Amino acid sequence: MRKPTHGWRLNRRTDAGARGHRNAGLFLIALALAAALPVRLPAQSLQQRLERRLSATPWDRSLWGIAVIDDKGKLRYGVNQDRLFIPASNTKLLVTSVASALLPPDWTVKTSVYAAGPVTDGVVEGDLVLYGRGDPTLGRSKRCYSVDTTLAGVCDTDPYFELRQLVGGLRARGVTAVAGDLVGDGSYFETETVNPWWEGYDLNWWYAAPVTGLAFNDNSVDIRWGPDTLRGGPALLSISPLVGDLTLENRTRTRADSSPTTIDFFRTPGTLALWAEGDVNRASHGGLESFAMPDPNLFTARAFRQVLADSGISVLGTTRSTTDSLEYQAARNTPALAEAAGRPLKDWIFPILNTSQNWYAEMLLKQLGKVFGKAGSWKEGLAVERRFLVDSMHVDSTQFATEDGSGLAASDLVSPLAFTQILRYTRSHRGWATFEPGLPLAGAPGSLKDRFQGTPLAGRVRAKTGSIGRVNTLSGFIEFPDGKVWTVSVLANHHAQHGRDALAEIDSLVVDIGRSRK
């Protein structure tokens, strides 16, 4: 994803203890006690240690922002805590905290089917309109919404589940055919489906999929690839779900075991014409890429048409999409032929925080604009988010500036201090019950699964991660055995190190912070 910003400076402080005269006997006793007893660090030792670490090569060339707030709300350590940094996916903490506070955990949205004409003897005499209200869980990929995957109902097994419910509703009404077109209506949200701050290359991939009123399978198709059994043969490619006019041209080859795997995927911009090129090592285990669909409203309608056909309902017209809110306004003012409710809000929050799902965050941001603002748009969603952060959480308005909900935009800026304020507010709010299950815990399934293991903070850090080019971040909580909780935000920008080295340094800093508590 992206890049960095802003500077860091250290506020150097020293301890100035009084130096009284001591006799030799007392001095020797003090030395003996010092050797026998555990070392008690001076009050400012954390500040000194972290200053020394951040001033050492190679991290002295990087930009650091850190805020550590204790359980009483006191700033225990700060470096550039009120400066603006690129937060990467820590940006998701804003939209999820605001949504958790404003919406009930069981809040849902419905997807509806309308007839743009009378239904006569089981035939819709006009177009059949599939109308979405911004539900990211419609036609969802196989996903779980809890770290405990053994719980009933927390994992998806059928990506067509809601579409089958809708077809069941049509069959219950006696519908057997549609004389007109099948239309995917995504006009519930604004017509702008791609954030203008996102980079062009990213638009090919799932993490920058268009944000639309009608959605299916994360608005992406999954492409699985692997080596052929014969050297020199093309790689094996498969697409799922295979709906519509998507084409994938195979320009790859399988090479000897010593050859590097260089396969990559491309698309003619704005079309459904894809191709793969490059080499695949014959010993490779293969992989998965998820390509964003340029018109998700049409993509969803095509998936729905497939389910209609499978159930014996024929459509005589074509399949198309619209974002014109007036085109089928009259049809939407009539009773729906069928409706299906998606998963509740708490299941939206989980993938946003636990696995850092960008598209869910953007769908949620537009929902805030639709429900509490004037429109389902980035502009309105950000306005609602900003008002709540300033008016209810009392975050300084000069300490954050965002352009999206996921952190994909390079222009997103948030200070470490703002993150600690947002997190502390959310933990004390009733919305914590919605927010907390998704926040990754060190050692548990999620983005912290392999971090802090073998340290004193194993299983005691609950935080959101963030990583884009030259940026790594971590904001969340250290939960101590006695029940006390410290809130921590560590933002590293403009570093030139490998990502795994940056993560190791951040984790080491957080462990040092945890050890400093008396």
Side-chain angles (χ1 to χ4, degrees):
M1 307 184 209
R2 286 310 134 272
K3 300 159 189 140
T5 183
H6 240 89
W8 68 280
R9 63 187 180 197
L10 294 173
N11 299 317
R12 299 191 177 277
R13 296 185 291 179
T14 59
D15 289 326
R19 295 184 174 89
H21 292 289
R22 313 264 169 136
N23 60 45
L26 289 175
F27 181 72
L28 291 174
I29 292 172
L31 284 177
L33 288 172
L37 297 175
V39 176
R40 289 188 61 83
L41 300 174
Q44 294 182 353
S45 62
L46 173 64
Q47 183 88 19
Q48 293 170 342
R49 290 199 309 276
L50 296 191
E51 281 183 12
R52 185 169 58 253
R53 295 181 61 162
L54 298 180
S55 298
T57 304
W59 305 112
D60 57 331
R61 298 295 185 183
S62 307
L63 309 178
W64 290 89
I66 303 176
V68 180
I69 309 295
D70 67 17
D71 54 287
K72 294 182 173 58
K74 177 183 176 182
L75 180 69
R76 284 298 188 100
Y77 175 77
V79 53
N80 294 325
Q81 66 271 14
D82 57 357
R83 299 294 185 92
L84 295 171
F85 286 80
I86 293 179
S89 285
N90 273 200
T91 305
K92 295 179 176 72
L93 291 169
L94 278 64
V95 68
T96 50
S97 63
V98 172
S100 296
L102 290 176
L103 294 168
D106 58 352
W107 179 82
T108 61
V109 296
K110 291 181 178 180
T111 301
S112 305
V113 179
Y114 296 98
V119 180
T120 306
D121 296 327
V123 178
V124 177
E125 302 290 351
D127 297 336
L128 189 69
V129 182
L130 178 64
Y131 182 65
R133 295 181 178 84
D135 179 11
T137 70
L138 176 75
R140 51 196 176 259
S141 300
K142 292 183 178 180
R143 175 178 285 125
C144 293
Y145 300 86
S146 170
V147 294
D148 185 354
T149 59
T150 65
L151 297 175
V154 303
C155 294
D156 295 326
T157 56
D158 179 10
Y160 293 88
F161 178 73
E162 280 88 357
L163 296 182
R164 297 188 204 282
Q165 282 188 312
L166 292 172
V167 169
L170 292 177
R171 292 187 63 82
R173 298 286 293 267
V175 174
T176 59
V178 178
D181 297 340
L182 175 60
V183 182
D185 186 344
S187 63
Y188 187 78
F189 283 166
E190 64 177 334
T191 57
E192 185 175 46
T193 63
V194 173
N195 192 295
W197 292 94
W198 295 347
E199 292 187 2
Y201 175 77
D202 290 334
L203 305 184
N204 285 330
W205 306 101
W206 65 270
Y207 58 80
V211 185
T212 50
L214 186 60
F216 179 73
N217 196 58
D218 297 353
N219 284 353
S220 304
V221 293
D222 300 327
I223 303 174
R224 294 189 179 276
W225 58 269
D228 192 9
T229 55
L230 299 176
R231 193 176 87 178
L236 303 179
L237 306 176
S238 64
I239 301 173
S240 177
L242 187 56
V243 297
D245 299 327
L246 181 73
T247 62
L248 176 59
E249 191 172 87
N250 193 340
R251 305 177 189 175
T252 67
R253 61 179 175 175
T254 303
R255 300 295 302 276
D257 294 355
S258 59
S259 301
T261 293
T262 60
I263 189 171
D264 204 352
F265 296 85
F266 304 89
R267 176 177 63 191
T268 303
T271 74
L272 296 178
L274 283 64
W275 73 92
E277 64 181 52
D279 297 335
V280 176
N281 186 301
R282 191 168 58 181
S284 170
H285 296 295
L288 171 69
E289 300 289 351
S290 296
F291 242 71
M293 299 299 288
D295 185 351
N297 301 310
L298 179 60
F299 177 51
T300 310
R302 290 191 184 282
F304 188 48
R305 185 174 187 132
Q306 188 177 90
V307 178
L308 287 168
D310 290 344
S311 68
I313 298 177
S314 59
V315 179
L316 306 184
T318 188
T319 307
R320 57 188 179 87
S321 64
T322 184
T323 55
D324 183 350
S325 62
L326 298 179
E327 185 175 0
Y328 291 101
Q329 185 178 53
R332 295 197 304 272
N333 287 333
T334 65
L337 294 181
E339 288 188 321
R343 282 186 174 269
L345 173 70
K346 63 184 179 66
D347 288 348
W348 298 27
I349 299 292
F350 185 84
I352 297 173
L353 294 177
N354 186 261
T355 56
S356 207
Q357 222 286 353
N358 284 4
W359 179 70
Y360 268 58
E362 306 300 347
M363 294 286 278
L364 182 57
L365 183 63
K366 284 194 175 183
Q367 285 289 358
L368 289 180
K370 186 71 174 182
V371 176
F372 299 102
K374 300 175 183 177
S377 66
W378 273 292
K379 178 182 178 181
E380 284 298 309
L382 290 167
V384 170
E385 180 182 271
R386 185 175 186 83
R387 286 198 302 272
F388 193 87
L389 292 175
V390 173
D391 296 343
S392 297
M393 295 187 180
H394 305 298
V395 178
D396 187 331
S397 63
T398 66
Q399 291 192 29
F400 69 97
T402 55
E403 299 293 345
D404 66 7
S406 66
L408 186 59
S411 53
D412 289 331
L413 298 170
V414 185
S415 75
L417 191 60
F419 275 126
T420 59
Q421 289 180 269
I422 292 166
L423 286 164
R424 282 175 54 79
Y425 177 94
T426 303
R427 195 175 182 104
S428 65
H429 192 273
R430 64 178 180 277
W432 176 245
T434 303
F435 184 92
E436 184 268 340
L439 195 60
L441 176 66
S447 57
L448 287 182
K449 184 177 185 297
D450 300 318
R451 295 175 65 176
F452 296 99
Q453 300 310 297
T455 77
L457 296 188
R460 297 198 176 279
V461 175
R462 193 180 297 274
K464 180 74 190 76
T465 60
S467 297
I468 58 177
R470 310 299 187 194
V471 173
N472 290 95
T473 60
L474 183 76
S475 297
F477 306 98
I478 301 174
E479 300 173 338
F480 294 101
D482 62 0
K484 303 292 186 182
V485 176
W486 281 17
T487 311
V488 178
S489 180
V490 181
L491 310 180
N493 281 195
H494 285 307
H495 68 73
Q497 308 308 306
H498 194 283
R500 63 171 174 266
D501 296 328
L503 295 182
E505 181 66 12
I506 289 174
D507 290 357
S508 182
L509 290 169
V510 173
V511 169
D512 209 350
I513 290 166
R515 283 173 170 158
S516 71
R517 178 175 177 262
K518 295 188 176 71

